[in-house]
Amino acid sequence: MTDYTSKLCTLPNDSPGYQPGDTLTLGDGTKWYYYEQVGWAPAAPPQNSPIFLNPITGLITDPAQRAAVAEAAGHTLSPNKRSVSRSLSGYMQPFAIGSYGGRTYRAAITVPANFVGARLVLRNPSTSDVNWTGPIYFAPSNQPTGNNPSGSWTQVTFNAGQTTGVIPAGKGDYSAGNCTPGVLVSDWIPVASVARADGSLNRVLYVSGYADPAMSSLPNMGNTSQPTTNWADKNDADVAGRTFECRSASGSLANSASFDSGGTGAGYGNPFVEVEFLLAEDCTTILGMGDSITNGDGPTMKMASPVHFAAVTLSNAGKLCVASNHGYSSQKTNTFSARLRSILVNQLCPDVVVYSAWSPNDFGQAQDKTFAAAQMRENVEVAARLCRQHGVSLVLSTGTPCNLGAEDSIRVAFNAWVVDFAAKNYVKVVDYSAVVSDPGDPTNLLASLRTDTIHPNLAGYKAMGAALVTVLNTLL
């Protein structure tokens, strides 16, 4: 391995003289690494996982590890197949363990392609580390509508074989909309998908884990009631079988067939909301970053977000896509760019980021709206720079009406800036504002497409998803 330096700020052409592991520091101070398959890339491969992945492409770069996982999973895994991230977002907060401990939490998650391995992502928005001590398991299933999977359980491990792990404390104040959660990523676990009993191509993985009462707190997605509904209710046309369902039951039942949520299991939320998959087929990850408007429609488990509708439409058209929803309710745009940085540096890079350039959450009670808009512009610039550095395509979304009244001109001017910025920086724009605004009164959402003066309804999110498909078709 050789360390190179250059006064220039552009990368040299690939040549036989460069070797995997070589580094290059450019004149602007950025450090690049040379990979055999992709050439120069701006991040070093993580060394804390049993499978070494190229963080730019999501490819397994260690041949021995790739062969070991493929053999254990009973599948041939091409080195040219991408990994994808599947995330359900919403409202994450830490709960005192109290009644939330001593329970088993279970989720059924689908991806639109066969998988041969997976790893779990645990998040922590609290200001203290959380030591996860209960057992967690993966299992494939031929259907997503029961309490228990059809396949066998495999235990999830951390840090090369440990059954417990520490989720680092988050940064900021989640209650004020300024939190970037700490992240703990498990080892890659060999687990192979099985054919669906109903013929659907969406493969199912169950995640099940016990929250030990000795834990300090439980980082949980949901406001204690929203995320848990009947398993079968959301396997419907709105999400085309893309189930992401969560349940819980009292007792230590992580790998037990006796798990029975006794109905909905409502009132407890779920800590298992993000899984990264190794796929045996090509698939594109579309990551949505933003607030509750990115997050989507509550009654459909946040499956009815624009990125989910777009992923379903594109997959049905033969372009396999998976949506990773990182819309956090009540969050401000400074956390959008901070959370995006954390994902791009610490996890698998998505193929496309759909970034919410605007958020009404940036307008505090005493916050000057013109100043807030300037902050949002700065965060857009940060997001664009991050995506460019990590080789990720960026789509910026315009700001939708949010009850600003006479001051809506600030939003209109901001949207014009977004379009101009995108044109100058070679990124795409999806004009959500044009889709959901009332033609008779553009300062408001169209009544038939909204739940309130800020949030679209199910029909609104479908319309936004259709607009996103048009833009994504120019990238994929």
Side-chain angles (χ1 to χ4, degrees):
M1 295 184 293
T2 305
D3 293 323
Y4 296 93
T5 59
S6 173
K7 293 182 180 180
L8 300 177
C9 294
T10 56
L11 292 171
N13 293 326
D14 293 345
S15 75
Y18 296 116
Q19 300 295 323
D22 288 349
T23 62
L24 170 66
T25 302
L26 295 179
D28 60 3
T30 59
K31 193 169 186 178
W32 296 73
Y33 297 79
Y34 193 80
Y35 295 92
E36 182 177 3
Q37 295 179 5
V38 297
W40 293 106
Q47 297 294 313
N48 60 349
S49 171
I51 299 175
F52 302 146
L53 292 180
N54 181 324
I56 305 306
T57 64
L59 303 179
I60 303 176
T61 56
D62 185 298
Q65 294 293 337
R66 183 170 63 240
V69 168
E71 180 180 1
H75 281 264
T76 299
L77 183 63
S78 166
N80 299 315
K81 300 302 182 185
R82 282 192 180 263
S83 303
V84 298
S85 180
R86 184 80 168 83
S87 179
L88 168 74
S89 200
Y91 187 78
M92 174 166 264
Q93 59 182 309
F95 290 97
I97 199 68
S99 60
Y100 296 94
R103 297 186 68 84
T104 295
Y105 295 83
R106 191 165 289 188
I109 304 164
T110 63
V111 285
N114 289 307
F115 56 83
V116 298
R119 67 179 182 177
L120 181 65
V121 179
L122 295 175
R123 299 188 177 277
N124 176 18
S126 74
T127 55
S128 300
D129 293 350
V130 172
N131 184 23
W132 188 282
T133 56
I136 304 174
Y137 292 85
F138 285 157
S141 186
N142 62 10
Q143 50 81 32
T145 57
N147 283 314
N148 300 288
S150 63
S152 300
W153 294 106
T154 301
Q155 188 160 8
V156 175
T157 59
F158 303 89
N159 300 315
Q162 303 299 310
T163 57
T164 64
V166 176
I167 318 173
K171 296 180 180 179
D173 180 3
Y174 77 90
S175 63
N178 289 306
C179 178
T180 301
V183 175
L184 172 66
V185 182
S186 79
D187 300 328
W188 283 104
I189 308 301
V191 56
S193 57
V194 296
R196 285 275 290 264
D198 59 6
S200 171
L201 297 179
N202 294 300
R203 300 306 190 230
V204 184
L205 178 74
Y206 273 58
V207 185
S208 183
Y210 176 63
D212 193 314
M215 292 167 56
S216 57
S217 65
L218 181 68
N220 221 344
M221 187 65 74
N223 56 3
T224 76
S225 60
Q226 184 182 39
T228 46
T229 53
N230 287 324
W231 293 96
D233 285 355
K234 301 304 174 262
N235 192 30
D236 56 26
D238 284 335
V239 295
R242 300 295 186 89
T243 301
F244 201 137
E245 205 63 77
C246 305
R247 305 290 288 279
S248 69
S250 180
S252 180
L253 305 165
N255 63 338
S256 172
S258 300
F259 179 94
D260 184 357
S261 63
T264 66
Y268 294 95
N270 202 288
F272 308 131
V273 293
E274 184 168 3
V275 174
E276 295 180 341
F277 290 88
L278 295 174
L279 299 185
E281 302 172 62
D282 286 318
C283 191
T284 297
T285 299
I286 307 167
L287 184 149
M289 178 58 71
D291 53 19
S292 57
I293 298 172
T294 296
N295 191 22
D297 180 63
T300 51
M301 282 290 297
K302 309 306 178 189
M303 298 294 296
S305 67
V307 291
H308 281 109
F309 280 127
V312 169
T313 300
L314 290 166
S315 293
N316 289 341
K319 300 178 181 179
L320 291 184
C321 295
V322 63
S324 189
N325 187 349
H326 289 267
Y328 277 25
S329 177
S330 304
Q331 296 285 285
K332 299 180 176 66
T333 61
N334 63 324
T335 73
F336 300 177
S337 57
R339 287 189 284 121
L340 180 60
R341 182 192 303 276
S342 175
I343 291 168
L344 295 181
V345 171
N346 297 310
Q347 297 177 231
L348 296 176
C349 282
D351 299 280
V352 181
V353 169
V354 181
Y355 183 90
S356 180
W358 168 275
S359 174
N361 295 327
D362 282 43
F363 300 140
Q365 289 288 332
Q367 178 85 299
D368 177 80
K369 292 180 175 59
T370 301
F371 176 75
Q375 287 183 315
M376 286 188 267
R377 288 194 293 271
E378 291 181 3
N379 288 318
V380 168
E381 292 170 350
V382 171
R385 184 165 59 251
L386 286 169
C387 288
R388 184 167 57 249
Q389 289 173 344
H390 289 269
V392 176
S393 297
L394 176 63
V395 177
L396 298 172
S397 63
T398 56
T400 55
C402 55
N403 201 27
L404 290 178
E407 294 182 287
D408 192 61
S409 58
I410 296 174
R411 181 186 65 88
V412 173
F414 180 87
N415 285 346
W417 176 86
V418 168
V419 172
D420 181 66
F421 175 88
K424 291 177 179 177
N425 290 274
Y426 305 101
V427 300
K428 299 291 185 178
V429 174
V430 57
D431 194 356
Y432 287 158
S433 178
V435 173
V436 297
S437 295
D438 185 340
D441 180 9
T443 66
N444 285 309
L445 294 170
L446 189 64
S448 61
L449 299 179
R450 73 186 191 193
T451 57
D452 54 37
T453 56
I454 294 178
H455 298 95
N457 57 17
L458 183 59
Y461 284 117
K462 287 182 176 180
M464 293 161 69
L468 180 57
V469 166
T470 300
V471 175
L472 292 175
N473 269 323
T474 68
L475 292 173
L476 304 180

